[in-house]
Amino acid sequence: MALTGIEIFKLLPGGQRPPHPKANCKECGIPTCMAFAMKLAAKQVELAACPYVSEESKTKLAESSAPPIRLITLKGPGSSIKAGNEVCLFRHEKTFYNKPGLFVRVKASQANIAAEVAKADAYKVNYVGMDFTVDGFAVEADTLSGTSDPTKFADAVKAVRSATKRPLILVAKDAKVLEAGAAALPGETPLLYGADSANWEAMGDLAKKLNAPLAVCADNLDTLADLTDKLKGKGLEDFVIDPSSTKLGASIAKYTQIRRLALKNFRALGFPVISFACNAADEGIAAAQAIAKYAGFVVLDKFVPELLYGLLVLRENIYTDPQKPIQVTPGIYEINNPKPESPVLITTNFSITYFAVANEVEGSGLPAWLLVCDAEGMSVLTAWAAGKFDSERIAKAIKGFNVASKVSRKRVVLPGHVAVLSGELEAELPDWEIRVGPREAVDLPGYMKTALNN
Amino acid sequence: MPVEIPKDKWTGKVREVSFGATAADGGTRSKSIVVGGDTTLPYMQFEAPTPHTPVIAVEIKSRRPEDWSTLLEETWGDAMNDPASWAKAAEAAGADALVLWLTLADTPEDAVKATKAVLAASALPLMVFGPGQVEKDNELLVAVSEAAKGEKLVLGICEDKNYRTIVATAMANGHLVSARTPMDVNLAKQLNILITDMGLPANRIIMDPTTGALGYGIEYGYSVMERLRLASLQGDGMTQFPMMVTVGFEAWKAKESKVGTGVPEAWGDWKARAIHWETLTTTALLESGASIVVLRHPESMKRIRAAINELMAA
Ligand code: SF4
């Protein structure tokens, strides 16, 4: 937790007992050490401006200003992914910042590794104007099926690397096997997975040597904290935590406990969490929980586009800043080269609503004018209920964007959810024909082909 | 290193609400369902046990819907043709409760007939919802409420524009109401105040804070539900009601679920995607505080049942 001004003051020359000879020397450009401490607490000055802070105080101040959940970055030759730096338990308190990376698991014994990885690597899906992809791959040595062979693991890592430039997670219980895999990734920062009570020393040495983040695994928080603590003793700083539960009930409890402890500045658990949703009974549900409840990395069993798409959308939704509704600019949008006789469709400036409508109309091939009203970034029904999408606003938009100058047939289509507005809108726009469209965007093409086609 | 687990200490508690009257209570249901009673955030069982297992209700319609996805038509088949056979099929598929959703085409007589048929076909606790148009809802629900007096139905949609009528008939006939507001904490609270002011006992209210589906505003529903649960635990009496969400309705109107052609290839297999859409939305909302989820597809029900069992087992 950040220190208060008074707490900082005690670490400055003027706050030491006895006071440092340079106390209140003004060299920092501030009249007193106390005033400097206050400004430091308010982040208005840099600690470096005082030349007389002791080394011990510097360390304490640096520790106190470190984020409660350490930022961990994994790097591949083509992209990187970050986790950590989160500051709250509930997204409405502020926002969630670093979207959990979605990784696809590859087993070293698997056939056609490069081809499978290439398929997942090429995956790209568009959601409300944004392109989403997988974030990386987890290569797993097959320890379960017996011994794991460093050469085979290294070959698998090479095969994966030949098909993707994204960051990797290397999974093995034997440090020698991991080392062989990591040797195939010069200059990268993979996640090493992982250290447990049995192998932590060897894993720690390897992580130190490779300067890579290390996952620690245990099924209870005491052991996890123990492990990071002991490994810190080896000079390591970058960890990822795996609470190793595959059941939803245990996971939600542990993940929440870790996030709570981290936010209370319990440093031993102040790291991103990794979820192996791939090991749960229902990987989709486990991954959904992990995304909403605090995971920094999520490992999926296979590349399954229909699941991946849903999870990518969920992640985007949960990590949307709740303070900023996603909006599109109000105005009149042309779809499929509308002509003067084309209809004017009305919707709100909530981007999900806008994209749903625009995509349908575009897909139908039918020309239309799409009038996007300023409804403060809310969907049709929500905006209407909140009084932000009424006949007055719609009429104002029609006049304001001079829609009449674009069309020969003055015809507007209201979303079906606000059919009740048609009477009032007729009163506002006496020379316009007011039509009521379907409630859902998906039904627009059918409506435009039939009801509007006269 | 022994880690001291931080436990929240709350003063508030979500009210326990029960619906569905058995013979002992003057109804004909095989069981009553109790929801609510929570004293912690969802599934924080290291603080206190989650008192009641969340309920999976299934949505059935009074007449065969025209606009449902063919995936749903395939799975329910001819059972969709009449509400009684649909109710039986839903019970066989593992529903805990049923939501009979009436349509605009129904007359009060149709609505009563459908309700009676469902009550006769299945002994599961029942909720009856109007089509969502104020006057029509009033007309249909009053008739249903009187015809099913004593069954402890949950009547919806009860919103700011028609709550007087729905609450009055619920009071007169021993039913509950599902108080619906559009994704807003204060609106939800306000409606609960209006309803309790009319004299309906607070243990006969379920909140429906509404939601968007995955990709269509789920984050609003999700956060509103989290905030409502937090407020209730902090002691705000007018938020201390169990919550229900009509997830199936929302998820199945998303294009991702509804249609299988003319969509991007990156969306993958249609059926699997549609089920994911319903289950992922449900998972997120259960964990933000829903006590009752209303679903549409039997496969989603199975997966959500397994998820609930895991959540409760902690
Ligand atoms: S530089 Fe500023 S803070 Fe440092 S000793 Fe002098 S007055 Fe105090």
Side-chain angles (χ1 to χ4, degrees):
Chain A
M1 215 39 79
L3 296 180
T4 64
I6 300 289
E7 286 164 338
I8 294 175
F9 171 69
K10 289 186 183 148
L11 298 170
L12 293 180
Q16 288 171 6
R17 289 292 166 265
H20 188 278
K22 287 287 181 179
N24 302 324
C25 70
K26 304 185 179 57
E27 279 178 47
C28 55
I30 311 281
T32 63
C33 294
M34 177 59 96
F36 182 74
M38 293 300 164
K39 287 198 180 281
L40 207 55
K43 297 198 162 48
Q44 292 162 344
V45 290
E46 294 286 334
L47 180 63
C50 169
Y52 306 113
V53 191
S54 70
E55 282 310 313
E56 195 192 336
S57 293
K58 271 187 198 160
T59 319
K60 282 189 184 154
L61 285 163
E63 263 173 27
S64 77
S65 64
I69 301 170
R70 191 172 171 84
L71 187 71
I72 299 296
T73 307
L74 308 187
K75 284 196 197 92
S79 62
S80 59
I81 177 97
K82 290 186 184 121
N85 264 2
E86 301 300 334
V87 299
C88 59
L89 269 173
F90 305 101
R91 58 187 292 283
H92 66 259
E93 292 174 324
K94 180 90 179 104
T95 188
F96 293 167
Y97 289 101
N98 288 303
K99 295 175 201 168
L102 297 185
F103 284 69
V104 174
R105 174 168 67 178
V106 178
K107 293 195 174 175
S109 60
Q110 204 170 304
N112 301 327
I113 289 180
E116 289 296 312
V117 169
K119 241 193 292 173
D121 185 72
Y123 183 75
K124 193 162 85 174
V125 67
N126 188 280
Y127 169 69
V128 297
M130 293 171 279
D131 280 331
F132 297 147
T133 63
V134 304
D135 296 296
F137 295 85
V139 194
E140 190 173 307
D142 298 85
T143 39
L144 291 177
S145 58
T147 53
S148 48
D149 175 347
T151 324
K152 269 192 195 148
F153 186 61
D155 288 346
V157 173
K158 282 180 203 154
V160 172
R161 186 42 87 224
S162 73
T164 179
K165 291 190 157 60
R166 300 179 197 280
L168 302 187
I169 299 173
L170 303 182
V171 182
K173 284 287 171 202
D174 181 343
K176 286 201 195 69
V177 176
L178 268 194
E179 185 165 14
L185 307 172
E188 300 184 24
T189 312
L191 173 63
L192 305 177
Y193 181 105
D196 57 25
S197 303
N199 69 6
W200 67 272
E201 295 226 42
M203 286 292 181
D205 293 338
L206 178 62
K208 178 91 186 154
K209 184 167 145 196
L210 297 174
N211 193 21
L214 177 62
V216 297
C217 333
D219 64 0
N220 66 85
L221 303 196
D222 294 358
T223 311
L224 287 168
D226 239 4
L227 283 169
T228 61
D229 202 54
K230 284 194 281 197
L231 286 159
K232 275 183 192 170
K234 284 189 177 286
L236 296 180
E237 293 182 311
D238 291 337
F239 300 102
V240 169
I241 297 177
D242 178 12
S244 311
S245 47
T246 55
K247 300 281 186 208
L248 297 170
S251 299
I252 195 173
K254 283 191 221 166
Y255 283 43
T256 306
Q257 290 164 356
I258 291 170
R259 173 63 67 92
R260 280 187 195 170
L261 284 159
L263 294 180
K264 287 178 193 290
N265 267 18
F266 183 74
R267 295 292 178 187
L269 295 175
F271 303 99
V273 172
I274 186 167
S275 158
F276 281 79
C278 51
N279 295 333
D282 188 320
E283 138 174 89
I285 286 179
Q289 173 174 302
I291 286 169
K293 297 291 178 187
Y294 316 133
F297 302 96
V298 180
V299 182
L300 302 170
D301 184 37
K302 281 190 196 69
F303 167 60
V304 180
E306 58 270 17
L307 174 60
L308 197 54
Y309 174 45
L311 294 173
L312 287 163
V313 171
L314 179 65
R315 181 178 78 170
E316 182 62 28
N317 291 166
I318 294 290
Y319 276 73
T320 293
D321 184 347
Q323 263 62 252
K324 285 185 223 142
I326 18 177
Q327 307 190 7
V328 289
T329 318
I332 181 101
Y333 289 74
E334 299 183 9
I335 301 187
N336 299 331
N337 305 313
K339 298 176 192 57
E341 63 274 17
S342 302
V344 179
L345 310 178
I346 291 177
T347 192
T348 73
N349 67 328
F350 179 41
S351 71
I352 293 170
T353 305
Y354 164 81
F355 278 103
V357 172
N359 285 342
E360 287 307 328
V361 180
E362 217 172 276
S364 75
L366 300 169
W369 304 93
L370 181 57
L371 179 64
V372 175
C373 296
D374 182 4
E376 299 182 15
M378 287 184 242
S379 69
V380 169
L381 213 48
T382 316
W384 171 72
K388 309 292 183 197
F389 188 55
D390 52 20
S391 53
E392 214 176 301
R393 282 198 184 224
I394 296 169
K396 210 174 125 196
I398 287 179
K399 289 170 189 158
F401 297 115
N402 205 5
V403 180
S405 70
K406 301 193 187 294
V407 295
S408 55
R409 181 167 175 188
K410 292 184 173 176
R411 181 173 55 155
V412 296
V413 180
L414 275 178
H417 277 299
V418 291
V420 290
L421 296 180
S422 61
E424 291 168 36
L425 195 58
E426 261 163 32
E428 297 263 1
L429 302 168
D431 49 343
W432 285 75
E433 181 187 345
I434 315 290
R435 305 285 293 261
V436 176
R439 287 172 167 232
E440 303 306 331
V442 65
D443 300 318
L444 263 172
Y447 171 82
M448 290 170 72
K449 271 173 209 144
T450 54
L452 267 195
N453 201 11
N454 55 41
Chain B
M1 184 191 282
V3 175
E4 198 189 323
I5 305 290
K7 295 186 181 177
D8 285 338
K9 291 207 175 55
W10 303 104
T11 52
K13 175 181 176 183
V14 180
R15 282 184 188 83
E16 268 185 350
V17 169
S18 87
F19 66 102
T22 61
D25 302 322
T28 62
R29 303 300 83 202
S30 59
K31 58 176 178 187
S32 296
I33 289 179
V34 185
V35 286
D38 305 79
T39 55
T40 67
L41 290 166
Y43 312 106
M44 293 297 110
Q45 304 214 61
F46 58 96
E47 293 172 343
T50 300
H52 300 291
T53 307
V55 170
I56 299 176
V58 170
E59 178 185 346
I60 62 178
K61 304 281 281 184
S62 53
R63 46 184 83 216
R64 191 182 176 94
E66 301 285 315
D67 58 347
W68 279 33
S69 169
T70 51
L71 292 175
L72 292 164
E73 293 184 328
E74 275 162 23
T75 180
W76 294 113
D78 288 343
M80 290 172 94
N81 290 343
D82 76 284
S85 53
W86 200 344
K88 279 199 186 114
E91 182 169 358
D96 299 315
L98 301 173
V99 176
L100 171 63
W101 213 314
L102 305 169
T103 73
L104 281 173
D106 291 327
T107 63
E109 294 73 37
D110 296 336
V112 168
K113 205 175 132 206
T115 304
K116 287 196 164 161
V118 169
L119 287 169
S122 163
L124 293 179
L126 178 65
M127 315 193 190
V128 182
F129 275 47
Q133 215 183 65
V134 175
E135 293 87 39
K136 193 77 188 179
D137 282 7
N138 287 347
E139 194 189 15
L140 300 182
L141 290 172
V142 169
V144 165
S145 163
E146 288 167 358
K149 187 175 172 118
E151 291 285 8
K152 275 189 104 172
L153 306 179
V154 178
L155 301 176
I157 298 171
C158 176
E159 49 186 351
D160 63 342
K161 293 189 193 61
N162 70 346
Y163 74 93
R164 288 176 179 281
T165 310
I166 307 296
V167 169
T169 190
M171 280 167 71
N173 298 291
H175 301 305
L176 290 80
V177 300
S178 166
R180 172 178 277 200
T181 43
M183 293 198 259
D184 185 288
V185 172
N186 291 322
L187 292 179
K189 221 177 128 170
Q190 207 177 350
L191 182 58
N192 296 332
I193 293 171
L194 293 170
I195 292 173
T196 44
D197 277 354
M198 278 184 69
L200 183 69
N203 64 2
R204 275 161 62 188
I205 301 173
I206 290 170
M207 286 195 282
D208 175 358
T210 64
T211 185
L214 178 58
Y216 296 84
I218 187 178
E219 65 271 34
Y220 297 93
Y222 181 86
S223 284
V224 164
M225 287 171 64
E226 282 198 329
R227 290 171 56 201
L228 282 166
R229 173 63 78 82
L230 283 166
S232 68
L233 297 177
Q234 282 154 1
D236 181 340
M238 280 300 112
T239 59
Q240 292 168 336
F241 302 93
M243 293 186 272
M244 70 176 293
V245 271
T246 52
V247 187
F249 171 83
E250 297 295 338
W252 283 95
K253 74 183 184 190
K255 186 173 186 179
E256 281 82 352
S257 314
K258 203 168 182 183
V259 296
T261 52
V263 300
E265 206 188 308
W267 285 14
D269 178 74
W270 176 28
K271 183 177 170 201
R273 178 179 73 239
I275 306 291
H276 285 316
W277 225 256
E278 192 171 29
T279 51
L280 299 185
T281 307
T282 307
T283 303
L285 296 176
L286 278 170
E287 294 185 352
S288 62
S291 293
I292 303 172
V293 289
V294 187
L295 305 184
R296 280 189 176 174
H297 200 287
E299 182 62 30
S300 309
M301 290 165 62
K302 249 188 250 158
R303 290 179 55 190
I304 292 300
R305 174 79 62 208
I308 287 174
N309 288 342
E310 279 196 12
L311 284 166
M312 292 301 290

